[in-house]
Amino acid sequence: MPIRHGGSARRAAKTAGALLLATGGLVAVTGQPAAAMLDYVTPTSVAWTDARQPTRSFSASDDTVPVGTWEADGGKHTARAYFTFDLTPYRGQRVVSARAITGETKVDDCDKPREIELWRTDPPTGAPTWNTAPTAREKVADVGYPNLPCGSSFIGVMITEAVRQAVADGRDQLTLMARIAGDHETNKHYSRQIKSVGISLDHNTPPNVPDQLTVEGMACDSPLTIRTTRPTLRAVASDPDVNENGSHDRVAATFAWWPVDRPAERTEATLDGLPSPARYPYQLPEGKLTHGNTYAFSVRASDQYDSSDWSPECRFTVDVVAPPAPTVSSTDYPERGDWTGGPGIPGSFTFTADADDLAGFSYSETGSATHFVPVDASGRSATVSHAPNNDGVRQLFVQSVDRAGNFSEGTFYMFFVRPNAPTISDDDPEAPAGTPRRLTFTPNMPNVVEYTYRLNDGEEITVRADADGTARVTITPEVPDVYFLYVRSRTADGLLSGEAWIALWVE
């Protein structure tokens, strides 16, 4: 079973590497590259067999098994040990390196060299015995290392090719047999007791297929039209691997782009790796894209060892030509026509442009906010209801906008808005402070039913209009000063007039 991110098995692997490095001739377990993951894989089953008891299978005692020959109970015993590992977690992955790690717990004769061999066998169909032992296929390593002291607690040997081939072949298990080499297997002076074998496995999972592709910040979930020949393409690249320090792999991103009708003109560019996950921006170089053409791009991610599949392609069309300026018409507020309507009274305005790729129109009245209206079903026009914000000579500024976001030159539309603010009459212009002062409001628009007024910045007061549309109110300024009174009328349809005001001099 694999053990990741710490634990006694991981510490054992690291310690083994450090000790082996100190002895020379071996590669340490620590210091793995940022890409790939390091696991310490323990066997799912450990058993040893004895030639003197050929129908029995034995389990490890205190994580220790015998190999070779010894004498006991008046006879010779010869043992081999079997270690089976689960490879299913590594399907589809790259095996970067694999190192079998063990150690000696007992040596019969330190004057004799270490002659332990590791063999790959067929997976056992049950608990192995000497008579039913799985067939040995090939030797994968000699665990010799004469420079290591006798009785070394940690011994490691590379078995990368054996593990790599087993994973590549799609095997679920790998079984290793430990034995003493050749004729020395029956010589008791070469026998050992060893720790259960584990595998320090450095493996790599390919990066994920990049996603979140955008062009100029627009997601690729629908056909796109852009208004630049140097767009910025973006994608997120990530990798599932996490190394022993908790850090993610570094992933590079390769962008490929081409005209959809000329795929042979494909161009690729690779950006340097960043810690996963990372959002990569890539701006296409000048002179590669032209107006009116449709392009596609795709992205793949790469770590130190592997690359992902290419992402689904994203398509976009280049449009850098502005649409024609619109025409503007209105019967409610004709261009340079009669004085009509009034502030707050809406009128219909129609915008039209002769273009096939219109998105809509941008418009604003002098001194007011800019609005956008999409094209109607015709694809070439739009009608808006707009209420002037003031009386007098007014002007609309209108631009056509295409689907790429290109703006046309502006069209200025001038119209005349009739004043409709009520007239204010001061019936007591000489009234001193502290005495009532009568005021009359007279409408300048039809069907006025009420007025709203305020004195200076005071509270607004609403009064009903008489049948003829007029209204009379009384105020009483308490101290001598100049007072300003503001008033607006409202029709039965809810239309507000412009605002009228008057200065009241109070002696």
Side-chain angles (χ1 to χ4, degrees):
M1 59 180 294
I3 300 176
R4 300 173 182 161
H5 310 303
S8 59
R10 171 58 59 81
R11 289 193 294 272
K14 290 186 177 181
T15 304
L19 291 177
L20 293 173
L21 183 63
T23 65
L26 295 179
V27 179
V29 172
T30 55
Q32 298 297 323
M37 294 175 63
L38 179 65
D39 292 345
Y40 187 74
V41 186
T42 57
T44 56
S45 67
V46 179
W48 60 275
T49 63
D50 183 0
R52 188 170 183 180
Q53 305 174 81
T55 61
R56 294 188 59 188
S57 182
F58 302 89
S59 300
S61 176
D62 295 329
D63 203 33
T64 298
V65 294
V67 288
T69 298
W70 73 97
E71 292 183 357
D73 302 326
K76 271 190 173 184
H77 299 261
T78 301
R80 295 174 181 175
Y82 297 86
F83 310 91
T84 298
F85 300 89
D86 180 15
L87 298 182
T88 56
Y90 309 104
R91 289 173 180 162
Q93 298 189 21
R94 176 189 294 272
V95 175
V96 178
S97 66
R99 183 179 293 104
I101 295 177
T102 184
E104 296 171 328
T105 60
K106 183 179 179 180
V107 178
D108 186 88
D109 185 352
C110 281
D111 289 335
K112 299 299 182 183
R114 182 183 298 111
E115 293 190 3
I116 304 171
E117 296 177 342
L118 289 179
W119 288 70
R120 181 183 72 82
T121 74
D122 290 342
T125 57
T129 68
W130 190 271
N131 287 345
T132 63
T135 302
R137 293 301 178 182
E138 70 266 350
K139 185 171 69 172
V140 299
D142 287 304
V143 188
Y145 299 115
N147 292 333
L148 286 177
C150 178
S152 178
S153 299
F154 291 94
I155 306 173
V157 60
M158 298 302 296
I159 58 169
T160 301
E161 288 307 315
V163 177
R164 183 177 291 161
Q165 190 61 52
V167 171
D169 290 345
R171 300 183 202 144
D172 292 340
Q173 294 179 328
L174 172 67
T175 298
L176 298 177
M177 175 184 69
R179 58 164 292 174
I180 299 300
D183 294 340
H184 290 165
E185 184 177 31
T186 57
N187 186 330
K188 69 177 184 178
H189 294 286
Y190 290 87
S191 69
R192 258 86 171 151
Q193 289 191 14
I194 62 173
K195 295 178 181 179
S196 289
V197 174
I199 299 176
S200 176
L201 182 59
D202 193 1
H203 59 100
N204 185 68
T205 307
N208 300 315
V209 176
D211 56 11
Q212 302 181 46
L213 275 62
T214 63
V215 183
E216 288 293 288
M218 296 180 289
C220 297
D221 50 8
S222 61
L224 302 176
T225 304
I226 62 171
R227 55 191 178 109
T228 175
T229 57
R230 291 200 65 196
T232 297
L233 315 178
R234 288 181 172 85
V236 173
S238 61
D239 192 289
D241 287 339
V242 181
N243 66 19
E244 68 254 38
N245 298 319
S247 300
H248 287 268
D249 283 2
R250 297 180 72 87
V251 286
T254 299
F255 286 76
W257 74 96
W258 62 94
V260 295
D261 59 345
R262 301 187 305 279
E265 296 180 16
R266 179 186 180 99
T267 303
E268 294 186 7
T270 299
L271 306 185
D272 290 341
L274 296 173
S276 169
R279 177 176 290 277
Y280 285 87
Y282 179 70
Q283 186 176 33
L284 295 184
E286 188 68 58
K288 298 296 184 181
L289 308 186
T290 56
H291 169 74
N293 285 324
T294 299
Y295 300 85
F297 84 96
S298 182
V299 188
R300 75 176 178 185
S302 303
D303 60 19
Q304 181 177 349
Y305 301 103
D306 297 290
S307 296
S308 71
D309 291 334
W310 287 98
S311 71
E313 69 179 43
C314 173
R315 293 191 173 195
F316 58 94
T317 300
V318 176
D319 180 357
V320 293
V321 176
T327 60
V328 182
S329 62
S330 173
T331 57
D332 298 317
Y333 290 98
E335 185 176 23
R336 301 178 185 272
D338 294 336
W339 292 78
T340 57
I345 298 178
S348 290
F349 294 82
T350 298
F351 313 139
T352 304
D354 188 14
D356 294 329
D357 61 343
L358 279 182
F361 301 89
S362 170
Y363 69 98
S364 63
E365 184 182 348
T366 305
S368 67
T370 298
H371 306 276
F372 176 82
V373 57
V375 292
D376 57 24
S378 72
R380 283 176 163 73
S381 65
T383 299
V384 299
S385 177
H386 174 72
N389 55 18
N390 255 315
D391 57 34
V393 178
R394 307 304 299 165
Q395 190 168 248
L396 280 183
F397 179 71
V398 187
Q399 291 175 283
S400 306
V401 185
D402 65 19
R403 286 193 291 268
N406 296 303
F407 283 70
S408 72
E409 293 184 358
T411 295
F412 290 93
Y413 181 85
M414 184 179 294
F415 57 102
F416 306 133
V417 180
R418 184 175 59 205
N420 64 357
T423 300
I424 307 172
S425 300
D426 185 356
D427 298 334
D428 299 300
E430 303 297 330
T435 60
R437 192 162 186 155
R438 294 170 299 170
L439 301 167
T440 300
F441 304 148
T442 304
N444 285 312
M445 58 191 303
N447 206 19
V448 169
V449 296
E450 66 182 25
Y451 295 87
T452 298
Y453 71 96
R454 73 181 188 279
L455 192 62
N456 291 340
D457 293 325
E459 181 182 358
E460 288 189 336
I461 300 172
T462 299
V463 297
R464 297 292 299 176
D466 295 336
D468 61 358
T470 63
R472 292 169 178 79
V473 299
T474 300
I475 63 172
T476 305
E478 296 295 336
V479 296
D481 204 344
V482 179
Y483 294 84
F484 292 90
L485 184 135
Y486 303 89
V487 63
R488 299 179 75 177
S489 62
R490 186 187 303 273
T491 69
D493 296 329
L495 294 178
L496 275 174
S497 72
E499 188 174 66
W501 62 274
I502 189 174
L504 305 175
W505 299 84
V506 179
E507 297 297 335

